[in-house]
Amino acid sequence: MAQGQPIFILPEGTNRSVGRDAQRNNILAGKVLAETVRTTLGPKGMDKMLVDGLGDIVVTNDGVTILKEMDIEHPAAKMLVEVAKTQEDEVGDGTTTAVIIAGELLKKSESLLDSDVHPTIIAMGYRKAAEKAQEILDEIAIDDVDSDILLKVAMTAMTGKGTEAAREPLAKLIVDAVEAVAEDNHVDIDNIKIEKKDGAVVEESSLVEGVIVDKERVHPGMPAEIKDAKIALINAPLEVKETEADAEIRITDPAQMQAFIEQEEKMVKDMVDQVVDAGANVLFAQKGIDDLAQHYLSKAGVLAVRRVKKSDIEKLSRATGANVITNLDDLTADDLGKAGIVEERKISGEEMIFVEECSGAKSVTLFVRGSTKHIVDEIVRAIEDAIGVVAATVEDDKVVAGGGAPEIAMAKKLKDYAESISGREQLAVNAFAEALEVVPKTLAENAGLDSIDSLVDLRAAQETSYYMGLDVFTGEVADMKEAGVIEPKRVKKQAIQSASEAAEMILRIDDVIASTKGPEDMGMDPSAMGGMPPMM
């Protein structure tokens, strides 16, 4: 107010929450989001059914999928969704763990705020605790990783995700796939293609040492199967090029017309001859193949596929050793790839091209089967998580026990560490330690066990070994290393890092200013903003 007159800084229709109100709202949003996905954690976790505006259904217990499908508007909640996405991108698993740890850190900070501990002090304490937690993880990590450990890592990642019936054979396929594409302890998971088809049981899933292309041959007269395939990969159309500029051709008699047509045919035949002369009997084209070229290729006994995705062309190159050619004039026998067999097969009523028996293939395909679309989609999500964690294990060569064991170990050591810190930051470090216990506590709750008894038993058992965790199937505390419940260290490291940074960022916000006006109210085209909803 100035001389009795109000001064408006923000436009009319702006919502603003300041200080403790802003903090409470943000913390509440984080807690609610964490509670939403909390029931999905662990082998006994429940599933969520998500239905979009078109009535499409997704049934899953994958944390990041749930959060992506939910229409979340609260800005603080969106920050936790980013935590899950980061976890998914970096490791491929542990998204639910990251979100519930972040939610619990916010919950613990609420009681500290009520005790007049400044948000900056809490954030500093959380940062110190997160750094110490990473050191503790290094201390308790297992570093004798072999193929058996990789199998256990894959099975742990898939447990409780709709793949129980075929968990072991799927884990074997995943480990074989990752080891096939690994180079110098580096795994590019983009070289593992996942192709899915419903209409069969999960056990019929298989690993193809090569690539499956979800296309069919362009001409029925072409052979459906070619052994000892010589494969050409062409990023150019097998058709007469249209002129870039508008051109007009004047024809004054039928002979000229015939000559023009014959010249076009000769151009197309020359293209096909270049492919055949190079020795290719299989052709994958990224662009079009016109009808005449199809005819000539068919007569030459070449199996051709057109409009193949760029990603598939790159995978074919990695699998077969073929060079991708952009100009047919450059095609030689040295550019061709090799495969033991290329075959068109009918799967669930649709034709697919199988390129198999590629020696030393650096790109492979997991062919996933399931009885229905929703089941096969959930199996694919579980497999993607498992591929991510196995790849992380191959690269880092370090794992930790599962079943809440590392969280209990970190909580115990952090409480000891807190005693060495003076001032109110000690309270924040203690709160961080208690927040980590939400993981074993949630595992127990989701398994129908008494969470308090389980936590007490876990703390006592950890006096003898850091591998002691909760076996949710028996309800007892057991050695997780012996039980084969193993997770990559990177999953835990990333989850703690992402969760603590998100909690710190949310705690430091003391003012939320949100416009309630839509793009239309501000004279803007909503389509230019991607149809963004209001923030709150």
Side-chain angles (χ1 to χ4, degrees):
M1 302 285 286
Q3 297 180 353
Q5 295 295 319
I7 297 174
F8 295 104
I9 297 173
L10 298 171
E12 187 180 350
T14 301
N15 285 338
R16 183 180 185 185
S17 54
V18 185
R20 188 59 61 87
D21 285 342
Q23 287 163 345
R24 286 190 192 284
N25 284 339
N26 289 338
I27 289 170
L28 180 61
K31 282 162 56 181
V32 168
L33 196 69
E35 286 298 324
T36 303
V37 296
R38 186 174 170 178
T39 56
T40 68
L41 185 71
K44 295 289 189 81
M46 303 297 283
D47 292 350
K48 306 286 183 188
M49 178 184 280
L50 305 159
V51 186
D52 67 14
L54 299 173
D56 290 335
I57 297 168
V58 175
V59 179
T60 183
N61 67 2
D62 183 51
V64 73
T65 304
I66 294 165
L67 297 173
K68 280 179 181 176
E69 293 288 334
M70 288 169 64
D71 189 14
I72 294 168
E73 290 195 354
H74 196 285
K78 283 181 177 179
M79 291 167 74
L80 290 197
V81 175
E82 289 302 315
V83 168
K85 287 180 180 176
T86 302
Q87 182 79 14
E88 176 78 2
D89 293 341
E90 292 296 319
V91 196
D93 196 18
T95 52
T96 305
T97 302
V99 172
I100 65 170
I101 290 175
E104 194 68 12
L105 287 172
L106 292 172
K107 183 177 176 182
K108 295 293 180 186
S109 68
E110 201 167 24
S111 58
L112 293 175
L113 289 169
D114 290 340
S115 302
D116 290 329
V117 180
H118 196 275
T120 307
I121 301 294
I122 301 172
M124 288 172 67
Y126 279 1
R127 194 174 302 122
K128 285 184 177 178
E131 288 170 2
K132 185 65 178 177
Q134 306 287 13
E135 293 174 17
I136 297 166
L137 268 178
D138 287 330
E139 289 175 32
I140 64 175
I142 306 164
D143 54 12
D144 53 338
V145 174
D146 53 21
S147 291
D148 187 48
I149 291 283
L150 292 178
L151 276 173
K152 290 174 180 176
V153 166
M155 285 193 282
T156 302
M158 288 190 290
T159 303
K161 293 187 177 177
T163 55
E164 298 297 322
R167 198 174 55 138
E168 287 191 33
L170 282 177
K172 181 76 170 66
L173 295 179
I174 288 161
V175 172
D176 288 347
V178 171
E179 288 181 336
V181 302
E183 292 182 282
D184 300 325
N185 285 346
H186 173 71
V187 181
D188 184 353
I189 59 175
D190 288 338
N191 288 323
I192 302 173
K193 184 182 182 187
I194 299 176
E195 197 66 58
K196 60 184 180 181
K197 274 281 183 265
D198 52 26
V201 293
V202 185
E203 287 82 355
E204 289 185 32
S205 299
S206 59
L207 176 65
V208 173
E209 289 186 4
V211 181
I212 300 174
V213 181
D214 195 1
K215 294 277 183 181
E216 60 185 354
R217 57 202 162 128
V218 293
H219 193 284
M222 291 175 175
E225 178 185 331
I226 289 184
K227 293 184 177 176
D228 294 324
K230 304 290 187 293
I231 300 167
L233 304 180
I234 308 293
N235 181 17
L238 267 74
E239 50 197 17
V240 177
K241 292 180 182 177
E242 293 186 8
T243 54
E244 291 182 9
D246 289 337
E248 186 177 298
I249 299 170
R250 295 184 182 276
I251 293 173
T252 55
D253 66 61
Q256 287 179 323
M257 184 67 179
Q258 185 61 32
F260 180 75
I261 293 169
E262 286 174 0
Q263 183 61 29
E264 278 200 337
E265 288 182 3
K266 184 178 181 302
M267 289 169 68
V268 171
K269 189 167 190 318
D270 287 346
M271 291 179 189
V272 173
D273 287 344
Q274 285 174 308
V275 173
V276 175
D277 292 345
N281 52 15
V282 177
L283 170 67
F284 290 95
Q286 195 172 327
K287 296 180 180 174
I289 302 175
D290 80 6
D291 294 347
L292 191 60
Q294 292 174 27
H295 166 72
Y296 287 131
L297 286 166
S298 176
K299 283 184 71 176
V302 176
L303 191 161
V305 184
R306 64 179 168 182
R307 307 212 182 279
V308 180
K309 290 187 293 187
K310 183 183 178 184
S311 58
D312 284 350
I313 289 281
E314 289 170 353
K315 287 180 176 67
L316 283 164
S317 175
R318 294 272 296 167
T320 66
N323 295 325
V324 182
I325 300 299
T326 54
N327 187 340
L328 275 170
D329 294 334
D330 298 333
L331 182 64
T332 66
D334 294 336
D335 296 314
L336 303 182
K338 295 178 182 178
I341 184 169
V342 175
E343 183 182 7
E344 181 184 80
R345 297 178 198 160
K346 198 163 192 170
I347 310 287
S348 298
E350 293 181 22
E351 278 79 13
M352 305 177 82
I353 304 291
F354 285 69
V355 181
E356 297 183 277
E357 299 174 19
C358 303
S359 61
K362 286 301 175 186
S363 181
V364 296
T365 304
L366 276 168
F367 190 38
V368 183
R369 307 304 306 273
S371 54
T372 69
K373 179 181 179 296
H374 294 122
I375 288 172
V376 80
D377 284 346
E378 181 65 352
I379 292 167
V380 167
R381 282 189 283 270
I383 286 173
E384 285 173 343
D385 287 354
I387 288 171
V389 296
V390 172
T393 307
V394 168
E395 290 181 350
D396 295 351
D397 216 29
K398 287 194 175 184
V399 293
V400 293
E407 285 81 9
I408 289 290
M410 285 186 286
K412 185 173 176 296
K413 285 178 172 283
L414 279 174
K415 285 173 183 173
D416 295 338
Y417 169 66
E419 293 175 8
S420 67
I421 296 175
S422 59
R424 296 189 177 193
E425 284 179 21
Q426 183 188 92
L427 300 174
V429 174
N430 264 321
F432 194 102
E434 290 169 10
L436 290 177
E437 292 182 342
V438 72
V439 174
K441 184 180 176 184
T442 303
L443 288 173
E445 287 173 358
N446 290 349
L449 306 172
D450 187 296
S451 60
I452 295 174
D453 288 348
S454 298
L455 273 179
V456 170
D457 292 345
L458 274 172
R459 286 174 187 151
Q462 284 265 335
E463 294 293 333
T464 58
S465 170
Y466 296 134
Y467 304 150
M468 302 305 285
L470 182 65
D471 187 333
V472 296
F473 297 103
T474 64
E476 303 294 326
V477 172
D479 187 317
M480 292 290 103
K481 188 181 178 185
E482 291 294 321
V485 182
I486 307 288
E487 297 180 78
K489 189 193 84 170
R490 194 192 294 182
V491 168
K492 299 298 181 188
K493 184 176 181 180
Q494 183 67 38
I496 290 165
Q497 186 175 319
S498 300
S500 63
E501 287 176 359
E504 289 165 34
M505 185 175 287
I506 289 171
L507 282 171
R508 295 173 70 91
I509 297 168
D510 72 342
D511 203 340
V512 178
I513 304 163
S515 172
T516 56
K517 290 183 178 181
E520 301 94 334
D521 300 321
M522 294 186 279
M524 296 176 67
D525 178 6
S527 62
M529 299 182 66
M532 287 173 60
M535 285 176 69
M536 295 184 70

